[in-house]
């Protein structure tokens, strides 16, 4: 996964689709940071299930809305006011094979609901969670420090860079991940459980195409999901491996203690980073 595919390529007019008849099904990939959400999007695109990316982050929504309306002066507040109009454009121009898909962080949920509507029987949710919260925390701290989300050296636009990794920063990072998971778990408690799939990051990265295929087959049995896996396999990013090692050595003990004290559920005991 590279920056160009994740943050620039899918903004192009070449990816706009002709309007489709009827309301598309919706797949929302609900994530917390560093849970392979971009890789999951890539697999769904490979299967022809929408053109998922982070449509509800302003870095995507603003340039798309400006291009689709021809109004270059649209800003973030104006985008929020035009959420329903943006959603209509999304569903019309970014649905493939009767499916619209998008990646969501917890902070995007309200804007997404105002854009494409509240939950309905045609909405399906993949909740990406990471069993090893210590590794997740270390990975997020490293990404915020380097500003580089992927291998390749590109920095992440619109995200403030963490200049110093302090104890306060560690505590805030753990709390952020835990709070986001709580938002998702509370939201899913209101949704029909047959339309929610909880997917562990560790299981997905071990076999991304088979893992996603197993989930999607239950929701879209008539869709052809037997396309061979793409040549690029999912896996851990190596661009910040040294930084992760440093963070783990310095703060691993604190991170483990913080997660032990968190009331949110975990699937198994935490291991060292």
């Amino acid at each position: 996964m590279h920056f160009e595919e994740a943050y620039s390529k899918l903004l192009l007019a070449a990816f706009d689709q002709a309007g489709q008849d009827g309301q598309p099904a919706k797949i929302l990939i609900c994530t917390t940071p560093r849970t392979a959400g971009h890789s999951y999007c890539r697999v769904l695109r490979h299967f022809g299930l929408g053109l998922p990316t982070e449509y509800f982050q302003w870095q995507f929504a603003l340039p798309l809305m400006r291009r689709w309306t021809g109004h270059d002066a649209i800003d973030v507040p104006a985008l929020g006011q035009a959420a329903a109009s943006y959603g209509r454009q999304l569903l019309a121009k970014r649905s493939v094979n009767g499916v619209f898909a998008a990646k969501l962080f917890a902070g995007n949920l309200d804007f997404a609901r105002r854009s494409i509507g509240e939950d309905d029987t045609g909405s399906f949710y993949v909740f990406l969670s990471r069993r090893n919260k210590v590794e997740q925390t270390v990975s997020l701290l490293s990404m915020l420090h380097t500003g580089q989300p992927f291998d390749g050296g590109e920095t992440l636009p619109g995200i403030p860079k963490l200049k110093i990794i302090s104890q306060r920063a560690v505590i805030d990072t753990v709390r952020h991940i835990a709070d986001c998971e709580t938002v998702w778990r509370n939201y899913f408690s209101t949704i029909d459980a047959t339309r929610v799939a909880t997917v562990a990051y560790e299981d997905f990265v071990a076999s991304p195409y088979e893992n996603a295929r197993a989930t999607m087959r239950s929701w879209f049995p008539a869709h052809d999901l037997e396309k061979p896996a793409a040549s690029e396999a999912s896996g851990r990013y190596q661009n910040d491996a040294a930084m992760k090692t440093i963070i783990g050595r310095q703060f691993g003990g604190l991170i483990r203690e913080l997660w032990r004290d968190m009331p949110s559920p975990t699937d198994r005991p935490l291991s060292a980073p």
Side-chain angles (χ1 to χ4, degrees), residues 20-248:
Q20 300 188 30
D21 295 333
Q23 186 78 353
K26 297 183 279 287
I27 302 172
L28 300 180
I29 306 162
C30 304
T31 69
T32 58
R34 316 311 285 169
T35 55
H38 286 300
S39 294
Y40 208 98
C41 288
R42 186 178 69 244
V43 173
L44 290 192
R45 292 197 295 271
H46 175 81
F47 287 149
L49 293 171
L51 286 167
T53 190
E54 296 181 13
Y55 290 115
F56 302 104
Q57 293 271 63
W58 67 263
Q59 293 96 328
F60 285 84
L62 272 183
L64 284 174
M65 195 61 168
R66 286 170 176 171
R67 180 167 62 76
W68 287 338
T69 63
H71 298 307
D72 292 337
I74 293 176
D75 56 12
V76 172
L79 180 66
Q81 295 167 8
S85 175
Y86 177 61
R88 287 192 294 272
Q89 297 270 18
L90 275 181
L91 295 178
K93 296 180 183 296
R94 292 306 171 98
S95 297
V96 175
N97 294 324
V99 176
F100 170 79
K103 175 188 171 186
L104 288 181
F105 290 110
N108 303 143
L109 180 58
D110 179 65
F111 180 52
R113 297 284 59 141
R114 289 187 290 117
S115 298
I116 60 173
E118 298 295 332
D119 175 67
D120 56 33
T121 58
S123 298
F124 303 89
Y125 303 86
V126 176
F127 176 37
L128 287 176
S129 185
R130 198 158 173 167
R131 294 192 187 104
N132 193 321
K133 295 296 193 290
V134 176
E135 286 190 354
Q136 182 180 4
T137 304
V138 169
S139 180
L140 179 53
L141 285 165
S142 180
M143 188 274 285
L144 291 173
H145 183 67
T146 64
Q148 298 175 12
F150 313 119
D151 292 335
E154 300 92 344
T155 57
L156 186 68
I159 304 297
K161 192 172 178 180
L162 183 62
K163 295 181 179 179
I164 299 175
I165 300 177
S166 62
Q167 180 173 314
R168 180 74 259 169
V170 170
I171 294 171
D172 289 345
T173 300
V174 168
R175 183 172 292 124
H176 174 71
I177 295 171
D179 288 348
C180 289
E181 287 224 341
T182 298
V183 169
W184 286 128
R185 294 183 189 280
N186 287 343
Y187 181 66
F188 295 140
S189 70
T190 70
I191 305 296
D192 176 4
T194 64
R195 294 187 284 105
V196 179
T198 298
V199 175
Y201 160 93
E202 290 83 356
D203 296 336
F204 172 72
V205 298
S207 185
Y209 292 91
E210 286 306 314
N211 182 281
R213 184 181 285 115
T215 299
M216 295 302 143
R217 189 176 283 134
S218 66
W219 292 336
F220 301 96
H223 194 92
D224 179 12
L225 301 174
E226 299 307 318
K227 294 177 65 177
S231 59
E232 182 186 3
S234 181
R236 298 173 186 269
Y237 301 123
Q238 297 301 314
N239 62 303
D240 58 352
M243 177 57 63
K244 289 174 183 173
T245 299
I246 293 171
I247 296 170

